Amino acid sequence: MTTIGIIGAGHIGSQIARKAVELGYDIVISNSRGPETLSGLAAELGPKARAATAAEAAAAGDFAVVTVPLKNYKDIPAEPLAGKIVIDTNNYYWERDGHIPALDNGEAITSGLLQEHLPESKVAKGFNHIGAGQITTDGTPVGTENRRALATASDYPEAAELVTRLYDEFGFDAVNVGLLEESWRVERDRPAYGVRQNAQELKDNLAKAPRTI
């Protein structure tokens, strides 16, 4: 069975872990404070999960989910993620992360910063525009009328395909935005961000997104 390395055990990371374990995945999860602080979550998740350091989670995962505050993205260990698909859930909150002029001016994107930091990895956007609690509650079987849709983007087709498959397993339709440089369309304060939408509604919202806010 596939092992997912999850770097970041906050709201999004822990919910992805819960759903993934339910689906039969093995999980290695980490945070910035050390694996001993995750004993409760690991116990809740059960025998298919264990807590580790970020480097250990990165090394153990067949692919990884990075879900840390944007201001900490340079702390992600690059070497153990080389050659692997990395799903980036991040959003830019200047109130938390401090102002990043290249993002404020529309000259860069959050996932692009991570891709630059992980030049040998294959970064794909995913799970950034859904409330954490909804990851485990809003999924429905394939073919369900008005099934909720989520977006992904990547410069690597195999990375976007992996996110698409994971979305489907989690109970969501997928909309591929295209290259990673287009992933700003689903970020904070834009029409597709945080709302429940089916695939067509998501496509419409992506199309009308403004580049800068």
Side-chain angles (χ1 to χ4, degrees), residues 21-166:
V21 164
E22 178 186 318
L23 292 168
Y25 286 94
D26 292 318
I27 296 297
V28 181
I29 191 166
S30 66
N31 65 9
S32 61
R33 295 177 293 137
E36 66 279 0
T37 66
L38 293 173
S39 57
L41 178 61
E44 175 199 334
L45 293 172
K48 295 190 72 63
R50 66 181 175 91
T53 66
E56 289 167 344
D62 295 299
F63 66 91
V65 177
V66 168
T67 178
V68 302
L70 180 64
K71 63 183 179 180
N72 298 330
Y73 79 92
K74 290 185 179 179
D75 296 334
I76 302 302
E79 191 278 330
L81 291 172
K84 296 182 180 182
I85 293 171
V86 175
I87 302 173
D88 176 37
T89 77
N90 221 329
N91 292 294
Y92 171 44
Y93 295 100
W94 59 263
E95 304 92 335
R96 175 196 66 190
D97 302 315
H99 277 289
I100 301 173
L103 295 178
D104 292 335
N105 299 332
E107 299 165 357
I109 55 170
T110 60
S111 293
L113 296 178
L114 184 63
Q115 181 68 83
E116 290 175 9
H117 177 65
L118 303 175
E120 297 183 50
S121 301
K122 302 171 183 179
V123 173
K125 197 73 170 181
F127 293 104
N128 76 299
H129 57 291
I130 180 172
Q134 297 167 344
I135 290 172
T136 55
T137 61
D138 270 24
T140 55
V142 63
T144 300
E145 185 178 1
N146 231 26
R147 193 188 198 202
R148 185 167 183 172
L150 300 174
T152 188
S154 180
D155 294 341
Y156 301 91
E158 61 270 35
E161 289 167 6
L162 184 147
V163 177
T164 296
R165 185 172 70 250
L166 199 62

